[in-house]
Amino acid sequence: MKIVVMIIMMLVAMSFVLKLTCHKLSRRIILCALAALFTGMAWPYAAIQSKTQIASWLMQPQLMLDTSVMLTIDVFLQIAFCVLAIRSWTGNRMTTIEKWGYRLLLWIPGLLIFPVLFSVLVEVVFAFPGADFAMLGWCTAAAVFAIFIVAAWLAKEAFPETDLRIELIFLVNIIIGALGIIATVNGRTAAAGTNTVEWWPLTAFMGLVAAGLVAGFIINKYQTNKKISRI
């Protein structure tokens, strides 16, 4: 269970980094500063957490189900952003609602990035017992700011095509949604594990990944042909 949660956290951070590449440098700095500010101000709450309490939370099926609702909403918002972004950047006509929806979703970094940052801060506090909590909090905040700025720059350099980065955001969030389902299957997997392979869920997961890849390829092919026809 803990491994699945860690994978989801890494994918959430990846989705946030990819979304930062959709902004200009000034806007990236603003969003990264907000993430760093949240991390720094959360240190009083991180300092009172305990590993036993966190482990007990992960074993509560109802809490995991509630978390999955938040995860589903976040995935829906990010996928909606991908759809509107493709329409906006390919020159398609958009309604007023779609334009405002796209602008709003562009500024939503993701609902799950804040719990992820809080979890990172808690781990830092556990890793340095006896250190000043406020200092750890703000040092972590500075690291968060620097890491996200650099990661966004590297991601944009590695994937200069805008449509490719949008496809990656789409695929990453599809995987996040699938892992959320696996982690909360009716709330039972949070309470009891199994050593047997569940072939149907595994097949469904692989099917979702394959469908995302095919959809991304088709959209990219369509947009490429459309651009060529205009030339």
Side-chain angles (χ1 to χ4, degrees), residues 192-208:
T194 177
N195 292 324
T196 60
V197 178
E198 298 292 340
W199 292 106
W200 281 112
L202 179 61
T203 303
F205 172 71
M206 296 304 295
L208 284 172

Side-chain angles (χ1 to χ4, degrees), residues 4 7 16 20-21 39 63 88 104 135 142 145 159 170 172 203 216:
V4 176
I7 294 174
F16 177 63
L20 286 175
T21 63
T39 305
L63 179 61
S88 174
L104 176 62
M135 182 193 69
F145 178 83
F159 307 104
F170 178 84
V172 166
T203 303

Side-chain angles (χ1 to χ4, degrees), residues 123-174:
E123 291 298 326
V124 171
V125 171
F126 288 159
F128 297 94
D132 182 72
F133 294 142
M135 182 193 69
L136 287 177
W138 290 108
C139 286
T140 305
V144 165
F145 178 83
I147 289 172
F148 279 137
I149 287 290
V150 173
W153 178 78
L154 291 175
K156 194 165 185 178
E157 289 295 317
F159 307 104
E161 298 86 359
T162 301
D163 54 350
L164 179 57
R165 295 198 303 272
I166 294 299
E167 290 177 20
L168 288 175
I169 296 174
F170 178 84
L171 291 176
V172 166
N173 280 277
I174 288 293

